[in-house]
Amino acid sequence: MKIQNLLIVLLAAGLAFVSYKWASSGSSDKTEPTVNAALENIMTRTSVRAYTADTISSDDVETLLKAAMAAPSAGNKQPWRFVVIKSRATLDSIGANFGSMKMATQAPLAILVCGDTDATFPEDGRDYWIEDTSAAMENLLLAAHSINLGAVWCGVYPKTDRVKAFSEIFSLPENIIPMGLAVIGHPEGSQAPKDKWNTDNVHYENWRINPAGDE
């Protein structure tokens, strides 16, 4: 009798285990597809121009700079150079003197992305530094968004008056050209990204072929 009872218990346990595995397998089939984090970050990034009073940690600043330096560059020359700006007086001065950068008066941080013309190609390859530093800037902006910071790219180059002013403010050598300023902070309020997808901007094989593939 005891053996019969033991067999019944073992059979019940086995049925319970099989039922559990079947249920687990069935539920896994209904799992939602994994979101592509990189594409999600790209598609939801937007320019942020309003910030809270919260400061940004040194670790986060280093993360932004590492991301910027992970960008591609022509010939792997890596001509990017950075000036990290935390001074309240300097940020306020930038915001007061450059109309499109007035949000700097709110921000706890800005990073000036520069190009070193001595660290790129000579002659007609010299201006590759513009592409390289632009790639670094975009990496920086995406990294900021990924760690819940808000940032906006403020243009400096090629406006000669801005290039001259920023070169003087930050005592830049002649071979260092300020390309753009990233103003960075913790976003104040929610920010909705713009949908910039436009098939009219796409051509296939040559300029005369439209997105539908017809001439």
Side-chain angles (χ1 to χ4, degrees), residues 42-49 138 141-142 151-153 192-202:
I42 292 170
M43 297 300 185
T44 58
R45 188 213 64 81
T46 190
S47 296
V48 177
R49 296 177 173 83
E138 181 67 5
L141 298 178
L142 289 170
V152 59
W153 179 345
K194 299 180 179 68
D195 183 1
K196 301 177 182 178
W197 172 242
N198 185 351
T199 57
D200 291 340
N201 295 333
V202 182

Side-chain angles (χ1 to χ4, degrees), residues 39-105:
L39 285 177
E40 179 74 8
N41 192 55
I42 292 170
M43 297 300 185
T44 58
R45 188 213 64 81
T46 190
S47 296
V48 177
R49 296 177 173 83
Y51 319 103
T52 68
D54 297 327
T55 59
I56 296 175
S57 71
S58 296
D59 286 344
D60 282 348
V61 173
E62 185 170 306
T63 295
L64 299 179
L65 294 171
K66 284 182 176 179
M69 294 185 204
S73 63
N76 196 31
K77 295 287 189 178
Q78 304 176 33
W80 41 65
R81 305 291 183 263
F82 307 90
V83 180
V84 177
I85 308 157
K86 293 184 177 181
S87 165
R88 184 72 269 150
T90 303
L91 291 167
D92 287 346
S93 177
I94 290 172
N97 289 285
F98 299 91
S100 63
M101 304 181 193
K102 58 185 179 182
M103 75 291 295
T105 59

